[in-house]
Amino acid sequence: MQCKQTFEEVLNERGISRRSFLKYCALTAAALGLSPLMASKIAHAIETGPRTPVLWLHGLECTCCSESFIRSSHPTIEDILFNMISLDYDDILSAAAGTQLEEVRRRIMKEYKGKYILAIEGNIPTKDDGVYCLVGGDSFLNTVKETAADAAAIIAWGNCASFGCVQNAHPNPTGAAPVSDIIKNKPIVKVPGCPPIAEVMTGVIAHFHTFGTLPELDRLGRPKAFYNTRIHDKCYRRAFFDAGMFVESFDDEATKKGWCLYKMGCKGPTTYNSCSKIQWNGGTSFPIGSGHPCIGCSEPGFWDNGPFYGRLAKVPFLGSDSNADKVGIVAVGAAAAGAAAHATVTALKKAKQGGEENKDNA
């Protein structure tokens, strides 16, 4: 383990210039939603502080959060893993396994008591003494309690650890519970999504590493920098929503034209996340950009909140009491009237041209 080595020392070893380092800090500040003036503070913290020890546990989950994490571009996963944090325990990424790895976890807990971050991916089964998820012969429930006891803070990755997700959905046969239902005496930041956006995950770690505290949270425990606006508010299809132009079927012409997916069950109007701003895979796209409605995966209980393709009951239009059907009818009517007027004008022009030609021929 090399936790006492600073980021500056690592950069010097790699021959990275001061200019490149400051550029990296500015990008990190932007990713965190901070003022560009904060880049100097980030630089100072990274240059002078030791890397932050992180213990990453996996409960009931599908590992999609880890898959997302390793695809971060700002900052890159290489910067996070090798320069910013010391990822000392991870069931998925660690080379060691079994007893050897469990000994590492307990050693880090002892050497860095009160200083390490506990990151948890997946939720925690509680029924029958937690027998539905075992780690090293013990229940994951006990492992979480033991590791959380001396952690500085806890990061709950994904909807599973944050709100319960599919394992917690009715009838929840294993008693799966989110982290906040088990650990009550530690600061917890929830980073929901199925999975969370890679840059959001690394941004939360960068914030803790820089300031030594968790970022400002909303009422559900999510960092405001990434969850303060609805997907709907920044969606490029919002103009079609306001104009009442909706996709009615996944194979209609409106789908090809990229109209609003609200009537196909899009949960963008009630979902808070950065999908429409940061997007995925280095800003390549996001679900709505790929033609699929938002399923609201960063909200509590999204598996029990109705079918994915069920339309939301009521979403106000520009602060009015209208609805999608009324606005859609008006828009379609206006379009039909416009088409009719266009056809009429075209017919009159043709008739006029025909009359002039007849005069010339006479």
Side-chain angles (χ1 to χ4, degrees):
M1 177 177 172
Q2 301 176 357
C3 288
K4 293 183 180 179
Q5 189 178 32
T6 67
F7 194 35
E8 183 182 30
E9 292 167 344
V10 174
L11 292 174
N12 289 336
E13 287 180 1
R14 297 188 174 197
I16 297 175
S17 67
R18 177 75 179 169
R19 182 184 181 87
S20 297
F21 171 64
L22 293 177
K23 183 179 179 181
Y24 164 81
C25 294
L27 287 172
T28 301
L32 293 172
L34 301 174
S35 164
L37 299 177
M38 297 300 291
S40 59
K41 187 169 184 178
I42 293 175
H44 177 74
I46 293 177
E47 286 178 319
T48 57
R51 291 190 293 158
T52 304
V54 175
L55 302 178
W56 189 313
L57 304 183
H58 295 259
L60 295 183
E61 44 94 359
C62 67
T63 320
C64 71
C65 299
S66 291
E67 290 283 349
S68 178
F69 183 68
I70 61 178
R71 286 168 173 75
S72 176
S73 58
H74 297 93
T76 66
I77 186 61
E78 292 86 356
D79 287 326
I80 289 290
L81 286 181
F82 298 120
N83 306 328
M84 191 172 289
I85 68 172
S86 179
L87 185 57
D88 297 307
Y89 177 99
D90 188 307
D91 306 41
I92 303 299
L93 300 177
S94 295
T99 302
Q100 183 183 19
L101 187 57
E102 291 307 307
E103 289 177 352
V104 170
R105 179 175 64 86
R106 291 192 173 90
R107 179 169 59 81
I108 298 303
M109 290 169 54
K110 182 178 179 181
E111 292 180 359
Y112 295 94
K113 184 176 181 178
K115 298 179 181 178
Y116 62 86
I117 290 178
L118 171 58
I120 301 177
E121 181 176 350
N123 53 31
I124 306 157
T126 59
K127 283 187 179 178
D128 302 323
D129 295 326
V131 71
Y132 303 106
C133 184
L134 301 178
V135 178
D138 198 1
S139 70
F140 186 63
L141 176 63
N142 288 337
T143 301
V144 168
K145 289 180 178 177
E146 179 186 54
T147 314
D150 293 321
I154 297 175
I155 300 175
W157 292 136
N159 198 292
C160 294
S162 297
F163 301 127
C165 203
V166 61
Q167 300 89 341
N168 179 256
H170 180 77
N172 189 8
T174 66
V179 175
S180 57
D181 283 4
I182 306 299
I183 306 300
K184 301 290 187 181
N185 59 348
K186 293 289 177 180
I188 299 175
V189 55
K190 299 176 181 177
V191 189
C194 193
I197 300 171
E199 285 73 18
V200 172
M201 299 175 77
T202 52
V204 171
I205 290 178
H207 188 285
F208 186 87
H209 179 76
T210 301
F211 301 104
T213 61
L214 295 179
E216 185 180 5
L217 307 179
D218 68 8
R219 63 183 178 84
L220 295 178
R222 303 174 295 193
K224 284 186 175 180
F226 303 109
Y227 295 89
N228 65 339
T229 57
R230 301 179 303 169
I231 291 175
H232 184 63
D233 295 329
K234 300 293 183 181
C235 180
Y236 75 99
R237 299 193 190 216
R238 175 64 186 270
F240 293 110
F241 177 90
D242 293 340
M245 301 166 72
F246 300 102
V247 170
E248 302 284 350
S249 169
F250 282 118
D251 58 356
D252 65 10
E253 283 298 316
T255 300
K256 297 178 183 177
K257 295 176 181 177
W259 290 11
C260 180
L261 294 164
Y262 167 67
K263 288 188 176 180
M264 303 306 295
C266 184
K267 305 299 187 295
T270 58
T271 301
Y272 288 79
N273 206 336
S274 296
C275 299
S276 52
K277 294 185 292 184
I278 299 177
Q279 302 193 17
W280 298 76
N281 297 322
T284 301
S285 186
F286 69 119
I288 294 174
S290 299
H292 193 280
C294 167
I295 61 175
C297 70
S298 58
E299 296 299 312
F302 86 99
W303 278 90
D304 287 331
N305 287 340
F308 290 160
Y309 301 102
R311 172 182 154 185
L312 292 173
K314 183 179 181 181
V315 174
F317 275 72
L318 300 175
S320 71
D321 60 354
S322 190
N323 58 52
D325 296 319
K326 292 179 182 177
V327 174
I329 290 172
V330 172
V332 172
H342 177 73
T344 302
V345 171
T346 302
L348 289 174
K349 285 183 177 178
K350 287 184 177 179
K352 184 179 180 181
Q353 289 174 353
E356 290 176 348
E357 289 176 357
N358 290 335
K359 282 183 181 180
D360 295 338
N361 295 330

